[in-house]
């Protein structure tokens, strides 16, 4: 109806814009803090952190071979895959890691999964696969598909 | 208890579908931003929840968003759109749906600007979805979690403003069609 405004129509753009600007400012501060404090890893590399020590490994230099295994997706469906990769344990040995209880495998977007020493030592289980120049953690046969970490950048040893 | 009208259910079903599909549609564009920020998401959900906010604020029935979220979670499970949450995916739909209903109910007497109100509703819903994802899947460190929640809130605010514009345009049309509940503005 002409000339009649409902409460929804009476939009005060000023208040909304102030809200957007305030949120954008907070977001910008959070983004700057995060980007400045995060550990930068050069492209095509994986960083293994063991206490104070950190070792950078070039993915291209890793002795990758064709590996096969069964992965389980979020729907519980099993699928056989074949890819280029190497056991997680071999990556840790290459970085000079000795004893450990567990490792935290962290992606570039900070998504991460914990792999226990038992799983790392179990043959045919925990692998770092190389896909399109990036590393991916695969735990073969693991029903928890959340531990499939793409774009692995760092491995923190505990 | 009043029965749902057929046209209400059809509109809600449409918004449910749009909410589910939109998340997939904007995924690639959202990934460009989240990759640059080095966070595991936070944008698509705010956009997807906008459709629940639109429907709930147009239909104005208690429990509308939660009902739609329940339908979405069943659809998502049925179609295998469960993402990294797996079988826990319904929590990621139901909690934001509940938050939308509670926020719309709680802010109703406050006489807020409609755009600011829907922005707040959408932002809180998006943040609740992000928190659920973090609790169930991501377990992010504090600084990253703050940025992840901030991104969800910001997207929620932007999409809340968009939702307000859609509601403003559709409201007179849908009122004529009897889609809105009587007695509440």
């Amino acid at each position: 109806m002409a000339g009649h405004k409902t409460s929804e129509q009476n939009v005060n753009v000023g208040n909304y814009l102030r809200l957007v600007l305030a949120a954008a400012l907070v977001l910008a501060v959070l983004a700057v803090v995060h980007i400045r404090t995060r550990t930068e890893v050069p492209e095509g590399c994986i960083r293994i952190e063991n206490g104070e020590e950190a070792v950078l490994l070039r993915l291209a230099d890793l002795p990758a071979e064709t590996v096969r295994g069964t992965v389980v997706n979020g729907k519980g469906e099993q699928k056989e895959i074949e890819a280029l990769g190497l056991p997680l344990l071999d990556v840790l040995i290459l970085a000079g890691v000795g004893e450990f209880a567990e490792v935290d495998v962290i992606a570039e977007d900070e998504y991460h999964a914990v792999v226990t020493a038992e799983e790392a030592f179990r043959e045919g289980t925990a692998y770092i696969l190389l896909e399109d120049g990036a590393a991916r953690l695969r735990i073969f046969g693991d029903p928890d598909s959340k531990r499939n970490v793409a774009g692995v950048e760092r491995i923190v040893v505990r | 208890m009043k029965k749902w009208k057929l046209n209400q259910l059809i509109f809600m079903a449409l918004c449910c579908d749009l909410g589910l599909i939109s998340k997939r549609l904007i995924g690639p564009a959202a990934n460009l931003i989240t990759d640059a920020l080095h966070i595991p998401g936070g944008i698509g959900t705010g956009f997807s929840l906008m459709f629940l906010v639109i429907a709930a604020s147009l239909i104005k029935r208690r429990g509308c968003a939660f009902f739609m979220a329940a339908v979405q979670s069943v659809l998502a499970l049925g179609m295998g759109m469960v993402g990294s949450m797996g079988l826990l995916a319904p929590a990621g739909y139901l909690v934001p749906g509940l938050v939308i209903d509670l926020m719309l109910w709680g802010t109703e007497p406050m006489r807020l600007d409609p755009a600011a109100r829907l922005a707040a509703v959408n932002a809180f819903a998006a943040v609740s979805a992000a928190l659920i994802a973090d609790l169930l899947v991501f377990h992010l460190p504090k600084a990253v979690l703050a940025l992840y929640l901030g991104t969800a809130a910001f997207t929620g605010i932007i999409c809340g403003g968009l939702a307000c514009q859609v509601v403003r345009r559709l409201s007179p049309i849908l009122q004529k069609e009897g889609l809105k509940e009587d007695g509440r503005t």
Side-chain angles (χ1 to χ4, degrees):
Chain A
M1 202 187 295
H4 174 72
K5 283 186 173 180
T6 65
S7 61
E8 281 105 346
Q9 284 173 308
N10 187 21
V11 177
N12 186 337
V13 179
N15 279 354
Y16 173 68
L17 281 182
R18 271 195 285 273
L19 186 64
V20 170
L21 285 174
L25 197 66
V26 173
L27 186 62
V29 171
L30 291 172
V32 168
V33 169
H34 171 52
I35 289 168
R36 282 192 160 200
T37 53
R38 75 185 296 273
T39 309
E40 278 297 328
V41 179
E43 209 176 313
C45 290
I46 191 164
R47 179 185 158 105
I48 289 90
E49 299 170 16
N50 188 8
E52 295 294 304
E53 288 177 22
V55 176
L56 267 182
L57 297 176
R58 273 170 45 85
L59 296 177
D61 295 340
L62 294 177
E65 291 175 353
T66 302
V67 292
R68 288 177 196 86
T70 306
V71 292
V72 185
N73 67 17
K75 290 177 265 181
E77 297 164 348
Q78 294 193 348
K79 188 183 166 189
E80 288 285 331
I81 64 158
E82 185 180 288
L84 207 60
L86 71 166
L88 173 65
L89 187 63
D90 288 3
V91 176
L92 297 172
I93 290 168
L94 281 170
V97 175
E99 284 185 10
F100 63 97
E102 60 182 27
V103 292
D104 200 359
V105 182
I106 305 167
E108 56 194 344
D109 62 0
E110 302 294 333
Y111 184 78
H112 63 123
V114 173
V115 182
T116 62
E118 189 202 338
E119 287 170 320
F121 279 102
R122 198 185 305 144
E123 206 171 320
T125 304
Y127 281 85
I128 292 291
L129 304 184
L130 307 179
E131 296 173 352
D132 304 323
R136 176 192 282 266
L137 171 73
R138 285 283 196 187
I139 313 285
F140 289 135
D142 186 6
D144 184 2
S145 62
K146 294 194 283 290
R147 294 205 300 169
N148 166 20
V149 181
V152 174
E153 258 193 356
R154 290 187 295 141
I155 298 175
V156 178
V157 180
R158 296 193 194 107
Chain B
M1 191 180 163
K2 282 185 195 172
K3 279 185 180 174
W4 294 89
K5 294 173 187 168
L6 180 64
N7 54 4
Q8 285 178 336
L9 292 171
I10 291 170
F11 186 72
M12 286 160 69
L14 176 72
C15 287
C16 278
D17 293 343
L18 285 172
L20 278 176
I21 294 163
S22 63
K23 207 171 179 177
R24 285 279 172 104
L25 280 179
I26 72 152
N31 286 347
L32 289 176
I33 301 167
T34 55
D35 285 352
L37 291 172
H38 303 287
I39 51 172
I43 292 180
T45 309
F47 188 72
S48 154
L49 288 169
M50 177 179 79
F51 295 98
L52 265 67
V53 172
I54 290 170
S57 47
L58 275 169
I59 291 172
K60 297 180 187 295
R61 273 191 78 149
R62 303 260 189 265
C64 178
F66 186 74
F67 181 36
M68 290 171 69
V71 172
Q72 277 189 331
S73 61
V74 171
L75 286 174
L77 280 178
M79 293 193 288
M81 294 166 66
V82 291
S84 47
M85 283 206 209
L87 289 173
L88 295 171
Y93 290 96
L94 294 174
V95 173
L98 186 65
V99 169
I100 291 171
D101 281 331
L102 289 174
M103 285 290 292
L104 284 174
W105 172 71
T107 56
E108 202 177 4
M110 287 186 187
R111 293 181 164 269
L112 296 171
D113 298 325
R117 181 183 176 224
L118 293 193
V121 171
N122 212 352
F124 271 89
V127 167
S128 71
L131 272 174
I132 290 291
D134 184 63
L135 278 172
L136 296 179
V137 183
F138 299 138
H139 312 292
L140 296 170
K142 280 176 192 166
V144 189
L145 177 62
L147 180 60
Y148 175 54
L149 296 181
T151 306
F154 184 69
T155 314
I157 288 170
I158 297 289
C159 294
L162 284 174
C164 181
Q165 292 298 318
V166 175
V167 168
R168 191 171 65 87
R169 284 167 192 270
L170 287 181
S171 189
I173 302 162
L174 298 181
Q175 202 148 27
K176 276 184 199 164
E177 301 296 325
L179 193 100
K180 292 174 85 172
E181 285 293 307
D182 298 330
R184 291 173 63 203
T185 55

